[in-house]
């Protein structure tokens, strides 16, 4: 692919914004914040598009599916040479999620992360006790909006989520953990 016909990195980012997360299909991998870099390597017909990805955690089972989805999506847009790189340093943080991605999570019924990842923690003594001190970092219920919630389990439907129960509407919900 010649330099003149090569899409810009911005165009590639737009195409990647169409790639869904396989575990949460309402959010793109760009909104999730796992796409860290898009660049071209090489010249003319030998150039390849290199996409750096940082998984949400090092053992994420969706990593290989995401890599395949990236290669498939970019090839469908006419890029014959695509390479994905996995970057684990710095580790992914929920701070990299877009506001649009957090909105989509909430609308899907998953409470998005609250605040900054570096400020989040849940004391072991508070697990299952409910209660919500000011600025606790506990999520609001994505269904009814109540802040009266209790942690049921540190692990929800995937390891990167925790399971909560709303005391107002009594519905359980996943919360994307800050980390």
């Amino acid at each position: 692919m010649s330099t003149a016909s090569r899409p810009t990195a911005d165009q590639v980012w737009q195409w990647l914004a169409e790639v869904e997360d396989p575990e949460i299909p309402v959010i793109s991998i760009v909104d999730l914040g796992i796409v860290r870099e898009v660049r071209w390597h090489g010249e003319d017909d030998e150039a390849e598009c290199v996409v750096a990805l940082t998984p949400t955690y090092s053992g994420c089972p969706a990593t290989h599916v995401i890599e395949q989805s990236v290669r498939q999506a970019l090839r469908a847009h006419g890029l014959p040479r695509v390479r994905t790189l996995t970057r684990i340093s710095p580790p992914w943080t929920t701070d990299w999620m877009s506001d649009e991605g957090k909105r989509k999570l909430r609308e899907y019924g998953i409470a998005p992360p609250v605040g900054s990842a570096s400020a989040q923690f849940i004391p072991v003594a508070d697990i299952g006790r409910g209660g919500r001190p000011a600025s606790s970092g506990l999520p609001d219920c994505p269904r009814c909006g109540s802040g009266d919630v209790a942690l049921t389990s540190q692990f929800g439907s995937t390891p990167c989520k925790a399971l909560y129960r709303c005391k107002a509407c009594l519905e359980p919900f996943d919360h994307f953990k800050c980390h």
Side-chain angles (χ1 to χ4, degrees):
M1 176 173 289
S2 72
T3 305
S5 65
R6 182 188 307 173
T8 65
D10 287 341
Q11 179 62 62
V12 175
W13 277 91
Q14 289 175 13
W15 294 334
L16 291 172
E18 299 169 0
V19 177
E20 298 173 344
D21 177 77
E23 293 178 336
I24 311 168
V26 297
I27 188 170
S28 78
I29 61 172
V30 170
D31 283 332
L32 191 54
I34 64 172
V35 178
R36 302 311 303 153
E37 179 186 21
V38 172
R39 65 181 168 82
W40 288 96
H41 179 74
E43 297 296 323
D44 297 329
D45 291 340
E46 298 300 314
E48 65 181 350
C49 181
V50 180
V51 179
L53 304 168
T54 298
T56 55
Y57 68 101
S58 61
C60 179
T63 301
H64 294 294
V65 174
I66 292 168
E67 290 171 349
Q68 287 177 322
S69 296
V70 164
R71 288 190 294 270
Q72 183 178 21
L74 296 183
R75 286 181 181 136
H77 283 285
L79 302 185
R81 301 173 64 92
V82 178
R83 180 169 43 115
T84 58
L85 302 174
T86 300
R87 283 202 187 140
I88 58 172
S89 182
W92 179 84
T93 169
T94 50
D95 293 343
W96 294 351
M97 291 177 76
S98 71
D99 290 338
E100 176 72 6
K102 292 175 184 178
R103 181 191 62 75
K104 288 177 182 177
L105 285 176
R106 188 177 303 104
E107 289 176 357
Y108 188 63
I110 298 173
V114 178
S116 172
S118 62
Q120 297 293 311
F121 72 94
I122 300 171
V124 173
D126 290 347
I127 295 175
R129 297 210 179 355
R132 183 182 173 132
S135 302
S136 68
L138 294 178
D140 290 333
C141 175
R143 291 178 176 82
C144 74
S146 173
D148 191 10
V149 300
L151 178 65
T152 302
S153 173
Q154 275 286 14
F155 298 99
S157 60
T158 61
C160 57
K161 294 186 242 109
L163 183 62
Y164 280 81
R165 183 181 57 82
C166 178
K167 293 181 178 181
C169 71
L170 304 179
E171 289 291 323
F173 65 92
D174 273 338
H175 167 62
F176 213 107
K177 295 186 256 189
C178 259
H179 65 283

